[in-house]
Amino acid sequence: MTAVEGVQRTLEVALGERSYPILIGTGLVGRPDLLTPYLAGQQVMVVTNETIAPLYLARLCDGLPDDLEVRTVVLPDGEQYKTIEQVERIWNALLEAGFNRRCTLIALGGGVIGDMVGYAAAAYQRGVAFIQVPTTLLSQVDSSVGGKTGVNHPLGKNMIGAFWQPKAVLVDIGTLTTLPARELSAGLAEVIKYGFIRDETFLAWLEANMAALRRVEPEVIAEAIARSCLIKADIVAEDETEQGVRALLNLGHTFGHAIEAHQGYGNWLHGEAVGAGMAMAATLSQALGWISTEDCERSLALIESADLPVHAPAGMSSDDFLARMRLDKKNIDTRLRLVLLEALGSACVSDAVPPDQLTSLLDRYPRR
Amino acid sequence: MTAVEGVQRTLEVALGERSYPILIGTGLVGRPDLLTPYLAGQQVMVVTNETIAPLYLARLCDGLPDDLEVRTVVLPDGEQYKTIEQVERIWNALLEAGFNRRCTLIALGGGVIGDMVGYAAAAYQRGVAFIQVPTTLLSQVDSSVGGKTGVNHPLGKNMIGAFWQPKAVLVDIGTLTTLPARELSAGLAEVIKYGFIRDETFLAWLEANMAALRRVEPEVIAEAIARSCLIKADIVAEDETEQGVRALLNLGHTFGHAIEAHQGYGNWLHGEAVGAGMAMAATLSQALGWISTEDCERSLALIESADLPVHAPAGMSSDDFLARMRLDKKNIDTRLRLVLLEALGSACVSDAVPPDQLTSLLDRYPRR
């Protein structure tokens, strides 16, 4: 607990000169004392989407000091708009406003907004400051930490981007009260992921608290966000540019990205695809004899308890999966690399899964 | 001198774990022994333009080991094609070929190709390896060192990009024999710039050797390239991301970028605009009383001896200049910052030029 009113947790992501704080609490949007210490200069561009703008944009802007030059950009909402064209709209707005290298971008929205604004900041004049104000559970536990920014390409997710760290992240739990239940579940997929890859105690805590999480009880949600961010921050601090251990954060994502790309971005939510992808990774881990049948069933039950899918999409063939998975960024040369479970609470990266075993799993995995 | 055949000079750009060598010599394109140590994996994408492709693309590709997967992209030639759309063509080709994070991009061409390929590499899968094979004098002395990559925007030059270092730079002086005289002069503008900002001895050497340089005498050209790269490498090593001293490399560029943008990219060559811009900077330095009339005249004479313009474009008003200069990346908040001469061989950055004195210089500066 810190002494700052309304702030329930403060974490530090330790990355040397690129370190930054994550403030977690209620009523943080619109608090000028929390935002202004992290502005690089007098020019501020707030970028949000059409869903979030009517809810929080005015509140955020009203909380900025009067002597700043504040502009806003409102983009369409949805993963299908996570494109270089939308990022160009941000660049155009910056250039039309004559914003220089000491401007600051503020990303107000979910992961799509955070990734695009972060990338816009990384590339504008070869790099300017940005601040994340994530308004979905998924972005609060995932894109707040790690500095991964970017956009999708018709041939693959997040194929264009940069590693670019924010100056600060403001997590206002109050924004979750306006989040649809389906999006809350999608965020819980990433929360569950942190338990799977590093922390069996946290997994047990999630089993015990899933109902409270789905009711968005503030203390329980704050705890889940803080623990998730801490696990991710630890991993990112070890491996900022994803050369090694950071790949573990991709549990469920190799299958999940294939599902999203095949279904067309925005039809399955990212978290839903990750939920199904984690179920597939657990099932493959069990088929390889790495985890027990009981642990596999416990994993699928936890994913389902968050109201997430554990099946693959109807009509998506094994070849559809493999074609997309070959484009995965973790692959080295032409070898597929997968994140799997050695145990509940312990993930590993493997490039040694026999291709026929993978194909056989994909062939017989339940569709719906 | 190193012991490697054909390599006349080897420099090291010292940037910690991002350090890389610059090899300068004759007949280096097509030498597999020089290129292969710097490839990240088995996938190689060579990007060049329509002018260079018939001259050197086959030679470069033939020199790559047979067991690599080599693809090529040929883009249109010219500064007007230094756009995000052309970079997207590179990304599309990489994705269509299924290239992963361990691929290597090779930039074969001038500064436009180098900047675009570097940026394509910086953003592809959040960063892959690239190698520069610059084929113009300008790119050999300028874009080989420093890691600045990017593209133009209709509202400003190099507004979108990244700092991204190559794994190696191969400077083949033989490529200058096919370079048009006008492009050679444009390259000499940057060579002269290094003398102006840091090295009066080099300035005097350039005055003595200008005729030999314009005849592309190999030993003289190799010396000029090596000394230019050394000065730039020193400055970049001090200030990789342009927070301070690196701004000196922008001598002539604030005026020059305004000229290029106003005239439409590609009409004035970058080096021609920089030549005129340095003449304007020298003239302003003299008007401020920082350098003598004789030194100013000596500066203009050296620029002219390289067959470069020392006048501003006909029909470009002072307001045209100022509107473009306000977008310059060196500016802090709304203050214009200019690189000027304290003496020949010593440049400085100033934000203290009285606006009316700048306007008055611009009003009365010769046009043609």
Side-chain angles (χ1 to χ4, degrees):
Chain A
M1 284 288 192
T2 70
V4 182
E5 193 196 330
V7 178
Q8 294 167 267
R9 303 275 193 296
T10 303
L11 320 174
E12 177 84 4
V13 182
L15 294 168
E17 61 183 17
R18 289 183 300 287
S19 297
Y20 62 89
I22 301 176
L23 312 181
I24 304 168
T26 303
L28 307 191
V29 168
R31 287 267 301 270
D33 57 322
L34 301 180
L35 214 44
T36 48
Y38 304 103
L39 301 175
Q42 299 171 324
Q43 300 172 323
V44 177
M45 178 75 70
V46 185
V47 184
T48 189
N49 68 34
E50 289 166 351
T51 307
I52 296 299
L55 297 170
Y56 301 109
L57 182 57
R59 194 192 300 175
L60 189 143
C61 293
D62 289 349
L64 289 167
D66 288 341
D67 58 340
L68 300 180
E69 187 181 350
V70 180
R71 307 286 179 113
T72 61
V73 174
V74 180
L75 301 177
D77 184 15
E79 182 84 23
Q80 67 271 41
Y81 298 107
K82 188 174 164 182
T83 62
I84 192 79
E85 288 75 24
Q86 298 299 322
V87 170
E88 287 189 80
R89 288 181 58 184
I90 303 174
W91 290 332
N92 292 345
L94 290 164
L95 283 161
E96 281 158 16
F99 273 26
N100 63 42
R101 196 179 263 182
R102 297 217 322 165
C103 67
T104 305
L105 275 65
I106 298 178
L108 173 68
V112 171
I113 285 290
D115 283 8
M116 286 202 289
V117 175
Y119 182 55
Y124 185 62
Q125 304 209 10
R126 299 197 190 92
V128 298
F130 89 114
I131 295 171
Q132 297 259 32
V133 185
T135 58
T136 64
L137 180 58
L138 189 143
S139 58
Q140 289 168 353
V141 299
D142 182 25
S143 30
S144 325
V145 188
K148 279 194 182 179
T149 70
V151 295
N152 298 328
H153 185 279
L155 293 176
K157 230 178 112 70
N158 295 321
M159 282 291 159
I160 307 303
F163 288 97
W164 196 247
Q165 306 295 340
K167 297 299 174 192
V169 178
L170 242 66
V171 175
D172 187 341
I173 291 167
T175 60
L176 299 182
T177 58
T178 53
L179 189 70
R182 190 180 163 197
E183 302 250 6
L184 189 78
S185 288
L188 288 170
E190 299 283 349
V191 174
I192 292 169
K193 184 190 75 177
Y194 295 114
F196 275 135
I197 61 180
R198 267 231 170 156
D199 192 342
E200 204 199 345
T201 314
F202 185 39
L203 268 189
W205 184 90
L206 287 170
E207 289 172 323
N209 289 279
M210 189 54 75
L213 286 168
R214 292 183 61 189
R215 285 192 304 269
V216 198
E217 290 183 12
E219 260 311 310
V220 182
I221 278 280
E223 175 69 11
I225 294 170
R227 285 178 81 158
S228 297
C229 288
L230 277 172
I231 292 173
K232 182 160 186 186
D234 265 359
I235 292 175
V236 168
E238 271 180 59
D239 178 20
E240 187 177 355
T241 56
E242 199 163 17
Q243 307 302 305
V245 64
R246 187 163 175 173
L248 299 183
L249 295 172
N250 258 285
L251 177 68
H253 284 63
T254 312
F255 297 111
H257 286 164
I259 292 174
E260 282 185 276
H262 180 265
Q263 296 290 299
Y265 295 122
N267 291 313
W268 278 50
L269 295 179
H270 174 68
E272 291 169 341
V274 168
M278 290 192 296
M280 294 176 81
T283 305
L284 182 56
S285 304
Q286 189 256 313
L288 291 162
W290 296 4
I291 64 171
S292 66
T293 310
E294 293 69 32
D295 279 350
C296 181
E297 283 169 2
R298 188 182 156 198
S299 303
L300 270 60
L302 178 59
I303 296 167
E304 283 197 292
S305 76
D307 202 24
L308 289 164
V310 293
H311 58 274
M316 183 167 176
S317 72
S318 304
D319 285 344
D320 291 335
F321 269 102
L322 290 168
R324 304 282 180 175
M325 288 165 70
R326 282 197 196 95
L327 281 175
D328 190 80
K329 290 190 289 295
K330 285 187 299 299
N331 299 342
I332 291 178
D333 297 325
T334 54
R335 291 192 87 140
L336 276 188
R337 296 174 82 219
L338 295 169
V339 186
L340 297 172
L341 296 175
E342 296 174 313
L344 296 199
S346 176
C348 64
V349 178
S350 173
D351 65 356
V353 176
D356 54 343
Q357 200 158 4
L358 177 60
T359 305
S360 145
L361 172 98
L362 290 169
D363 283 344
R364 68 174 193 270
Y365 199 85
R367 293 344 192 232
R368 197 163 67 203
Chain B
M1 283 288 189
T2 70
V4 184
E5 192 197 329
V7 177
Q8 295 167 267
R9 304 274 193 296
T10 303
L11 320 174
E12 176 85 5
V13 182
L15 294 167
E17 62 183 16
R18 289 181 301 287
S19 298
Y20 62 90
I22 302 176
L23 312 181
I24 303 168
T26 304
L28 306 192
V29 168
R31 286 269 300 271
D33 57 321
L34 301 179
L35 213 45
T36 46
Y38 304 103
L39 301 175
Q42 299 171 323
Q43 302 173 321
V44 176
M45 179 75 71
V46 185
V47 184
T48 189
N49 66 36
E50 288 166 352
T51 307
I52 296 299
L55 298 170
Y56 302 109
L57 181 57
R59 194 190 302 176
L60 188 143
C61 292
D62 290 347
L64 289 167
D66 287 341
D67 58 339
L68 300 181
E69 186 182 351
V70 179
R71 308 286 179 114
T72 61
V73 174
V74 179
L75 302 177
D77 185 15
E79 181 85 23
Q80 66 272 39
Y81 298 106
K82 188 174 163 182
T83 60
I84 193 78
E85 287 75 22
Q86 297 300 321
V87 171
E88 287 189 80
R89 289 181 55 184
I90 304 173
W91 290 333
N92 293 344
L94 290 163
L95 283 161
E96 282 158 15
F99 273 27
N100 63 41
R101 197 179 264 183
R102 296 215 324 166
C103 67
T104 305
L105 276 65
I106 298 179
L108 173 68
V112 170
I113 285 290
D115 283 8
M116 284 202 291
V117 176
Y119 181 55
Y124 185 62
Q125 303 209 12
R126 300 198 190 92
V128 298
F130 88 113
I131 295 171
Q132 297 259 29
V133 186
T135 59
T136 64
L137 180 58
L138 190 142
S139 58
Q140 289 168 352
V141 300
D142 183 26
S143 29
S144 325
V145 188
K148 281 193 181 179
T149 71
V151 295
N152 298 327
H153 185 280
L155 293 176
K157 230 179 112 66
N158 295 321
M159 281 293 159
I160 307 304
F163 287 97
W164 195 247
Q165 305 296 341
K167 297 298 175 193
V169 179
L170 241 65
V171 175
D172 187 342
I173 292 167
T175 60
L176 299 183
T177 57
T178 52
L179 189 70
R182 190 180 161 196
E183 302 251 7
L184 190 78
S185 289
L188 289 170
E190 299 281 350
V191 175
I192 292 169
K193 184 190 77 178
Y194 296 113
F196 275 136
I197 62 181
R198 266 231 170 156
D199 191 343
E200 205 199 344
T201 313
F202 186 38
L203 269 189
W205 183 90
L206 288 171
E207 288 171 326
N209 289 281
M210 188 54 74
L213 287 168
R214 291 183 61 189
R215 285 192 304 269
V216 197
E217 290 184 11
E219 260 311 310
V220 183
I221 279 282
E223 175 69 12
I225 293 170
R227 286 177 81 159
S228 296
C229 288
L230 278 172
I231 293 173
K232 183 160 185 187
D234 266 0
I235 291 174
V236 168
E238 272 179 58
D239 179 21
E240 189 176 353
T241 56
E242 199 164 16
Q243 306 303 305
V245 64
R246 186 163 176 173
L248 298 183
L249 295 172
N250 259 286
L251 177 69
H253 284 63
T254 312
F255 297 112
H257 285 163
I259 291 173
E260 281 185 277
H262 180 265
Q263 296 289 300
Y265 295 122
N267 291 314
W268 278 51
L269 295 179
H270 175 68
E272 291 169 340
V274 169
M278 290 193 296
M280 295 176 80
T283 305
L284 182 56
S285 304
Q286 188 258 315
L288 291 163
W290 296 4
I291 64 170
S292 66
T293 310
E294 293 70 31
D295 279 350
C296 182
E297 283 169 3
R298 189 182 155 198
S299 303
L300 270 59
L302 179 59
I303 296 167
E304 283 198 292
S305 76
D307 203 23
L308 290 164
V310 293
H311 57 274
M316 183 168 177
S317 71
S318 304
D319 285 344
D320 292 333
F321 268 102
L322 290 168
R324 304 281 179 173
M325 289 165 69
R326 282 196 197 97
L327 281 175
D328 190 81
K329 290 190 288 293
K330 286 186 299 299
N331 299 339
I332 292 177
D333 296 325
T334 54
R335 291 192 88 140
L336 275 188
R337 295 174 81 220
L338 295 169
V339 186
L340 298 172
L341 296 174
E342 295 174 315
L344 296 199
S346 177
C348 65
V349 178
S350 173
D351 64 357
V353 176
D356 54 344
Q357 199 158 3
L358 177 60
T359 306
S360 144
L361 171 98
L362 289 170
D363 284 343
R364 67 173 194 271
Y365 198 84
R367 291 347 190 231
R368 196 163 68 202

